Amino acid sequence: MKVVIALGGDALLARELDAGALLLLTDVDAVYRNWNTPDASPLRATTARELRQQRFAPGSMGPKVEAACRFVEATGGLAGIGRLEDALEVLEGRRGTIVRAVPQVAVSSATD
């Protein structure tokens, strides 16, 4: 799988390279709902649709969220937003925020 790592908010290169994943790396561990309030909580797994219903600072997390949304909507791949030092864990879905075009469905195995 091709992965593009962006330190800014532009996902165009990832789309042009037909990447399956886009990592947007920053100094914040995840995207937060209600950032900078007592009700702040990290969004760990979300969709572009859910993110578009939130408001994010235009000079801060806003461009990263927009780039992630555009990428997953255009490609069906996944986008991760998190800390630079957590890049591998973000890609693996263990840290940061993972954005998908549609919610990931958990598959359970049936045992007889």
Side-chain angles (χ1 to χ4, degrees):
M1 166 178 28
K2 293 178 195 170
V3 177
V4 171
I5 298 174
L7 298 178
D10 186 12
L12 182 59
L13 178 62
R15 290 192 308 262
E16 288 179 1
L17 291 176
D18 195 29
L22 171 68
L23 294 183
L24 297 153
L25 303 175
T26 183
D27 60 349
V28 179
D29 67 322
V31 176
Y32 280 75
R33 178 183 293 118
N34 302 317
W35 173 255
N36 212 19
T37 72
D39 298 328
S41 61
L43 295 165
R44 295 295 177 196
T46 189
T47 64
R49 183 177 181 181
E50 291 169 349
L51 282 179
R52 290 191 182 282
Q53 295 173 0
Q54 308 280 327
R55 295 282 180 237
F56 299 98
S60 179
M61 193 56 72
K64 294 168 189 66
V65 167
E66 181 62 25
C69 290
R70 286 184 184 195
F71 177 78
V72 301
E73 291 166 344
T75 68
L78 69 86
I81 302 172
R83 286 190 182 138
L84 176 61
E85 58 267 30
D86 296 335
L88 181 59
E89 291 90 352
V90 173
L91 181 60
E92 294 171 340
R94 296 185 292 124
R95 293 200 186 269
T97 298
I98 300 299
V99 184
R100 298 181 188 278
V102 296
Q104 187 173 20
V105 178
V107 178
S108 62
S109 60
T111 57
D112 295 348

